Each structure stands twice: as C-alpha cells, then as structure tokens.
Amino acid sequence: MQNRITLGFSGDVGAISTRLYNHPECVFPISVSKDEASGSVTYIDFDTGDDIFVLDQYVNVLAEYIIERYEPRMLRRILEENYRELSSLQKREILKNIELFCDDAAIGYRARKQSVVLSLYDYLAEDSTLLMDGFVAFRLKEYEVLLKTLAQKLVDHYLTRKEYEEFIALLKYFVNIQEARPEKIHILVSENGGYTLLDETGCDITASSFADFVEGEVLLTEEAYDDLLISVLITIAPKTITVHNCLAIKNHELFSTITRVFDGKVDYCSDCNLCKI
C-alpha cells in the first residue's frame, strides 16, 4: 500500500471533500488541488502514514461516497440496458424500493459497500493515483454484478406487486357486482388457524359455504383452506365482515388481502363473546 494516495475527481467535488473534512471519526490529512492544465480534474491527496485504522476509515468513506454518487446512475443504466420493455415511469418506481433490500445478506448495503472497499484496496495496492470516474467504470466488476442482481430483485418485486394490485382490483370488481348480499358475516378464528363462518343471526354456515368449492370430505391443506376462504367470501359478498379472536390469526397476508378486497368493510375484534367461543 502506498504512503500517499491521490484521487482525481471531475466536476463538483464538494460532496467528497466535505465527507473527508468532516468525518465524525477521523480528521483525514488531505489536501485539495486543481489540475491547472485542464481545469477539469480536482485532486485530493491523502497521506496514509502508518495508521492502518485511519486508512481503513478513509477507504470506507470513499466506498460510501461511490455508492451514494454513482450507484443510482449505474442502476438506471442496468435497467435501461436489460429491461427495455419497462417505461421510464416504471423504472423510477422500481428504484424507489431499493431500501426493501437494504439488509439483504447477499446484495444489501453492507454487502455492496464491502465489495467496493475490497476493490479499492486491490487497486491501491497496485497504484497510488486513482481517477474516480475511470475506477468506477472499469474496476468495480464484482460490485456491478451485485447491482445487476439487485436490479433483478427490484424488478421482480415490482412486477409481483403489480400483479397483486391487479388481482385485488379484480376481486373488488367481483365483490361489487354481487347482488342480494347478506348484511354481515362473522369469521371466528380458532387457535389452530381454522375458521368458522357465522351469518348475521349467529348461525354456523361454514359447511354450506365451503360445500360449493369442495366435493365430499376432502382433507385440505392449510394453504388451500386459506385460499378457499377468499373464494367463499367473494361468493357471499357480505356488506360487512367482523373477524373475531383476531390475535390468533396466523396468515396475516390472507387477512390483509381480505381487508383490501372488502375495502372499509372489515372489522377486527379480540374480546367479545364470539371471540371466546
């Protein structure tokens, strides 16, 4: 590793110089100078000395700067090159969800930063002068692989959510076109995750409601039983639904879907007489 590191930046270097001057843990021994010949490159010199801790902090700050300044444009380029079927608006929406994968062990922020840190160390072991734009363009191949994986996950998440929203809209449509709806349905959630349906008079209608969807005595999996509950409710299309003993709910995604489909018509209860049945 060199005792003196020189970084070259084109354009505004205020962000990185401010980071280096004002880092909360270290006051880095740096000097900033302009390239008098071209006037387009600013150089930041760092004297490493023998303090490995300060060097490590310095490299970490550079990695954070690279991610903050270059990552958004790199992700936009990856989306432009690999997902041309998506509109510009869709790509902007996709990039808004990057925080969802912030803690991902493989492609989260820490993994991406570590990749950049290692690339910086590899480069600085060979050369003491680093031009930032060139380094980002040609020496961050492993980091770019992580970004491509991240982009794929972001696109998959966006398309999955889009399909889900379309599914919810379709279910809402089916509910709204139903006629002669009952006023109320009660859903009793049992401790083992099962459900009992009562009509507004308190009569158990579970068997009759599920009979249209299950032939004979078929042993259903828990997942299939949950899916059938949605179908049954859409067929009945009650004006209001009250879910009792709601603290026993296991499949929260299922009831989130029910709440969205029956928008404003679902209540949750945890301490009434029906809840204690």
Side-chain angles (χ1 to χ4, degrees):
M1 189 67 65
Q2 310 293 330
N3 289 330
R4 185 179 180 86
I5 297 171
T6 301
L7 304 177
F9 296 85
S10 59
D12 179 23
V13 294
I16 184 62
S17 60
T18 299
R19 275 179 179 271
L20 295 172
Y21 276 126
N22 300 324
H23 192 269
E25 295 183 36
C26 297
V27 178
F28 298 110
I30 65 171
S31 59
V32 181
S33 61
K34 235 356 186 175
D35 180 4
E36 298 297 336
S38 65
S40 62
V41 178
T42 299
Y43 291 100
I44 296 179
D45 291 310
F46 167 62
D47 294 308
T48 65
D50 297 321
D51 194 333
I52 299 300
F53 173 77
V54 174
L55 174 62
D56 186 60
Q57 292 296 315
Y58 182 76
V59 172
N60 272 270
V61 171
L62 295 182
E64 292 168 3
Y65 169 80
I66 288 172
I67 291 174
E68 179 182 304
R69 186 176 180 87
Y70 290 91
E71 184 171 276
R73 71 180 73 167
M74 293 175 73
L75 280 171
R76 286 195 296 269
R77 175 176 57 78
I78 290 170
L79 291 177
E80 288 295 334
E81 291 176 354
N82 298 282
Y83 304 96
R84 296 179 180 176
E85 71 279 8
L86 298 174
S87 68
S88 297
L89 177 60
Q90 288 175 316
K91 290 168 186 172
R92 286 196 295 271
E93 290 298 316
I94 286 169
L95 291 177
K96 290 179 181 178
N97 293 319
I98 191 170
E99 292 300 320
L100 294 175
F101 299 95
C102 182
D103 297 325
D104 189 286
I107 58 169
Y109 181 84
R110 294 178 66 179
R112 302 198 305 276
K113 179 182 173 182
Q114 182 66 11
S115 177
V116 177
V117 165
L118 293 176
S119 294
L120 281 166
Y121 271 117
D122 286 344
Y123 182 91
L124 294 174
E126 304 169 2
D127 199 333
S128 62
T129 301
L130 183 153
L131 296 178
M132 189 60 71
D133 288 348
F135 173 78
V136 172
F138 301 110
R139 296 299 294 261
L140 289 178
K141 299 306 179 184
E142 292 184 8
Y143 173 63
E144 189 163 355
V145 170
L146 293 182
L147 290 186
K148 288 180 179 178
T149 304
L150 175 60
Q152 178 67 63
K153 286 185 176 289
L154 286 170
V155 170
D156 290 345
H157 172 79
Y158 173 79
L159 294 178
T160 299
R161 293 300 304 176
K162 186 169 180 287
E163 290 174 359
Y164 177 72
E165 294 299 330
E166 292 172 352
F167 173 66
I168 293 294
L170 182 62
L171 295 185
K172 281 185 176 181
Y173 169 76
F174 283 132
V175 168
N176 291 330
I177 63 174
Q178 298 281 24
E179 296 181 1
R181 305 178 192 177
E183 287 294 326
K184 193 175 191 67
I185 287 291
H186 298 273
I187 303 176
L188 278 60
V189 182
S190 67
E191 295 299 330
N192 64 5
Y195 312 108
T196 300
L197 303 185
L198 306 180
D199 63 16
E200 55 200 25
T201 67
C203 180
D204 188 335
I205 59 170
T206 309
S208 59
S209 299
F210 278 83
D212 293 335
F213 298 91
V214 180
E215 294 184 4
E217 296 186 6
V218 179
L219 184 61
L220 296 174
T221 64
E222 186 174 307
E223 183 178 351
Y225 193 55
D226 286 351
D227 289 342
L228 278 182
L229 180 61
I230 287 269
S231 300
V232 166
L233 291 175
I234 290 173
T235 300
I236 299 173
K239 292 182 179 179
T240 59
I241 298 172
T242 298
V243 182
H244 297 275
N245 196 26
C246 63
L247 297 180
I249 291 174
K250 293 183 177 181
N251 190 339
H252 293 279
E253 185 176 352
L254 167 68
F255 281 89
S256 175
T257 300
I258 291 172
T259 300
R260 292 200 58 191
V261 172
F262 293 88
D263 187 22
K265 303 172 184 176
V266 182
D267 295 318
Y268 289 86
C269 180
S270 62
D271 192 28
C272 72
N273 290 332
L274 288 177
C275 292
K276 298 172 184 177
I277 296 178

